[in-house]
Amino acid sequence: MNLFSISRGDVDGFFGLMVDNLIQLLVLTGLCIGLCGFPLEFVTSVVLPGAAVSLLVGNLFYAWQAFQLGKKNNRTDVTALPYGINTVSLFAFVFFVMFPTYQKTGDYLAAWKAGLLVSFISGLIELGGSFVAAKIRKYTPRAALLSALAGIAITFISMDFLLKTFERPLVAFLPLAVIFLQYFGKVRFPFGIPGGFLSVILGIGLAYLSGIMGDPIFQEGALAKGADTIGFYLPSLSIGSLFETLSYGNIKAYLSIILPMGIFNVIGSLQNIESAEASGDSFDTKSSLFVNGVGTLVGTMFGSPFPTTIYIGHPGWKALGAKHGYSVLNGFFMTIVSLFGLMGILQALIPVEAGMAIVLWIGIIIASQAFQVTPKQHSPAVVVGLLPAFAGWAVLLIQNVFYFLDGKLQGILQSLGSVEKIHFQLSDIPPHLSFLPYALSGVIALSQGFLISSMVWASMVVYVIERDWYKAALWAGIGSILSAFGFIHAYELSGNAILNQFTGISDWNFPIAYGILTFLFLGTKFIDTGKNHT
């Protein structure tokens, strides 16, 4: 076996990861063009080739890392860490940095340069985090690290694609059933056809047939439009453009976005490394996170304003039988797609519905792992750790509704010939108005920094279960400090945007509340008459 050997499981894994990566590239293309004024030619010739460099660097490294681990341990079942564009940072940088810059200046190049700046600083945070993350991992319970991932898997992955599945059942049910048959039922299909490959092919075929059944998925003329972008686009260095905007003033202006996203990337990648170890593949924390940061920096220097990251989903790819080859295939495929301008034509040929069954299954496996590989008595801590992610998902839905209604309102006013603008925005809602039936303030507060607050609460519950009151108090104290500096729970509404603020303590409620918990757990040490669990 060598680095470029491909197994049947690698083919399945490749189709799943490829569809996932394609979705990210399709989304960023649409947002850059629709919101930030990027010409399609600029996205095709600058942004996507830059992203391809980072994707190739990361995918090849993690494939090599898995290959080396297999050689070292004399194993043939090591699965590479999945890698791709960071979805959360993608939306954060577009909506809170690039789009406002474009609105202010009317210049898409200014918006692009602002994106390069925040991506570059985010990459530096990822590099710095690689030197301390191993200690965080060592002293954080597994339930705390995996429950946050499970929360994301249930909400942002599984629920998202499950709702899309029920939106188009005639297209999506059969591919999903194929995935369930092979990977839950262990059914082998004729001629040894991989389930992932069969699922995607069926999805494409059913998508085309849906037009005959009166539910067309493909847009008319999309194929011809996609073919117009085919060409050859070499990555070009964008260091000059980056340094034009690299100043203390600009960094300070975007710090409320850069800092939480950088920390989010480090913590999220750390949790994914722990998830891989829980599946049996133990990768070095420092080198894994270091190359994660390098991938972001390299992509930024070649014109991509979007960070890359170690993906959620390792246990799912492993269950598919993927090894290191799927990562190699993905790296080369995404490079070819980006350098030859094939994104448009692939978008026209392969609908999201054709591949989302695999991604939905990945989400199910991730959520299952959090309960399977943690001690049984810690399962309540896993459940507690899931909850902040639900708030994060709810806030995203609320934001989307407000963006939609605000846009609709402006359209109605314009059609009536009104020159007056009346906005429908989150910042107009009184914080404690229960319009949900929950107060907006509570939902948003729980959602802010939810990856970190998930770890804090799950860790507290683990140590309460273990009756280790000092460690429970320590994690409550950590929650107090993090909330005091705005890393969790703090926010400011600006229109329909939810921004983090790191200007000191503006709301004493959370630091004091966590402080009370700290003293409660410390005091329990002196009044507790029970015995510790063994």
Side-chain angles (χ1 to χ4, degrees):
M1 186 176 69
N2 57 57
L3 181 61
F4 299 102
S5 59
I6 306 297
S7 68
R8 192 176 75 166
D10 284 319
V11 174
D12 274 0
F14 160 68
F15 273 99
L17 187 57
M18 175 267 288
V19 169
D20 203 336
N21 277 191
L22 276 179
I23 290 171
Q24 309 309 322
L25 295 185
L26 291 172
V27 167
L28 74 84
T29 299
L31 291 176
C32 284
I33 294 172
L35 290 180
C36 303
F38 286 29
L40 177 60
E41 295 76 14
F42 185 78
V43 176
T44 304
S45 62
V46 177
V47 177
L48 293 182
V53 175
S54 59
L55 290 172
L56 184 62
V57 167
N59 275 283
L60 289 183
F61 170 79
Y62 294 116
W64 174 84
Q65 182 188 51
F67 178 70
Q68 292 297 118
L69 181 63
K71 282 177 57 178
K72 179 182 177 181
N73 296 335
N74 195 26
R75 291 171 52 198
T76 59
D77 63 340
V78 178
T79 300
L81 291 168
Y83 177 80
I85 300 291
N86 189 306
T87 309
V88 178
S89 293
L90 163 64
F91 283 102
F93 289 178
V94 167
F95 282 111
F96 304 143
V97 176
M98 297 166 66
F99 178 51
T101 302
Y102 179 67
Q103 282 187 311
K104 183 178 179 181
T105 65
D107 182 4
Y108 76 88
L109 288 176
W112 171 63
K113 291 175 183 178
L116 292 181
L117 169 68
V118 293
S119 181
F120 181 75
I121 302 301
S122 180
L124 292 179
I125 293 174
E126 291 175 32
L127 280 182
S130 68
F131 293 95
V132 299
K135 291 189 180 295
I136 297 174
R137 184 180 173 196
K138 181 179 179 181
Y139 295 108
T140 304
R142 173 166 284 183
L145 289 169
L146 297 186
S147 61
L149 289 186
I152 295 173
I154 292 172
T155 54
F156 293 93
I157 298 178
S158 294
M159 279 303 298
D160 187 31
F161 285 105
L162 187 63
L163 295 178
K164 290 180 185 296
T165 297
F166 278 80
E167 180 184 351
R168 298 187 184 274
L170 290 177
V171 175
F173 271 25
L174 187 57
L176 182 59
V178 168
I179 294 296
F180 284 176
L181 283 172
Q182 177 153 359
Y183 300 114
F184 288 151
K186 308 301 179 185
V187 174
R188 295 182 66 85
F189 294 104
F191 310 108
I193 299 175
F197 175 75
L198 180 59
S199 173
V200 171
I201 295 300
L202 283 173
I204 294 172
L206 289 168
Y208 278 96
L209 288 174
S210 67
I212 301 174
M213 294 182 283
D215 183 25
I217 291 177
F218 297 97
Q219 294 183 351
E220 188 175 347
L223 195 60
K225 185 178 179 181
D228 290 341
T229 63
I230 295 176
F232 183 63
Y233 308 94
L234 276 174
S236 57
L237 277 172
S238 303
I239 296 176
S241 299
L242 170 63
F243 279 96
E244 284 177 15
T245 190
L246 189 61
S247 67
Y248 173 74
N250 286 337
I251 294 173
K252 184 178 179 181
Y254 297 127
L255 190 63
S256 64
I257 305 300
I258 297 170
L259 201 55
M261 285 301 99
I263 295 171
F264 184 96
N265 292 347
V266 172
I267 297 298
S269 296
L270 179 65
Q271 291 165 334
N272 290 326
I273 295 170
E274 180 67 20
S275 177
E277 181 164 312
S279 297
D281 297 335
S282 181
F283 297 109
D284 177 64
T285 303
K286 183 178 178 181
S287 61
S288 297
L289 291 178
F290 188 85
V291 173
N292 192 27
V294 168
T296 294
L297 293 176
V298 170
T300 302
M301 292 177 183
F302 279 95
S304 171
F306 303 109
T308 46
T309 190
I310 299 171
Y311 263 11
I312 190 172
H314 176 277
W317 307 126
K318 191 170 189 67
L320 286 172
K323 302 180 176 67
H324 60 271
Y326 88 112
S327 188
V328 173
L329 285 173
N330 186 66
F332 282 122
F333 180 82
M334 299 311 300
T335 301
I336 292 170
V337 166
S338 299
L339 297 189
F340 287 89
L342 301 177
M343 182 56 60
I345 200 165
L346 281 174
Q347 181 182 15
L349 288 172
I350 306 175
V352 171
E353 289 81 358
M356 64 188 183
I358 298 177
V359 184
L360 170 57
W361 183 79
I362 294 296
I364 294 170
I365 292 299
I366 297 165
S368 301
Q369 185 200 46
F371 291 94
Q372 291 169 347
V373 302
T374 55
K376 185 178 179 180
Q377 69 270 24
H378 292 172
S379 57
V382 175
V383 175
V384 170
L386 296 175
L387 303 180
F390 283 91
W393 190 57
V395 165
L396 180 62
L397 296 180
I398 293 168
Q399 273 186 293
N400 286 338
V401 168
F402 271 78
Y403 276 118
F404 173 77
L405 293 177
D406 190 42
K408 278 285 185 182
L409 179 61
Q410 304 315 313
I412 292 171
L413 291 172
Q414 188 175 8
S415 68
L416 294 174
S418 173
V419 295
E420 183 181 1
K421 288 189 175 182
I422 303 174
H423 289 284
F424 186 77
Q425 298 181 330
L426 282 170
S427 56
D428 298 328
I429 304 295
H432 298 291
L433 176 65
S434 296
F435 78 100
L436 281 174
Y438 308 102
L440 182 66
S441 58
V443 180
I444 298 180
L446 181 56
S447 74
Q448 296 307 287
F450 70 84
L451 266 185
I452 303 174
S453 58
S454 173
M455 290 173 59
V456 170
W457 279 91
S459 296
M460 281 195 294
V461 174
V462 164
Y463 290 122
V464 166
I465 292 170
E466 296 294 329
R467 306 172 71 86
D468 192 333
W469 310 119
Y470 286 145
K471 289 182 180 177
L474 174 63
W475 277 99
I478 290 172
S480 181
I481 295 170
L482 291 172
S483 60
F485 286 96
F487 291 107
I488 56 176
H489 309 317
Y491 67 92
E492 179 179 321
L493 295 178
S494 176
N496 286 322
I498 303 170
L499 305 176
N500 289 88
Q501 294 296 318
F502 302 98
T503 55
I505 301 176
S506 57
D507 182 353
W508 285 91
N509 289 330
F510 285 107
I512 291 175
Y514 279 109
I516 292 172
L517 292 184
T518 303
F519 286 106
L520 172 66
F521 294 141
L522 287 174
T524 304
K525 174 69 177 177
F526 299 100
I527 63 173
D528 177 42
T529 57
K531 294 182 179 180
N532 287 350
H533 291 297
T534 56

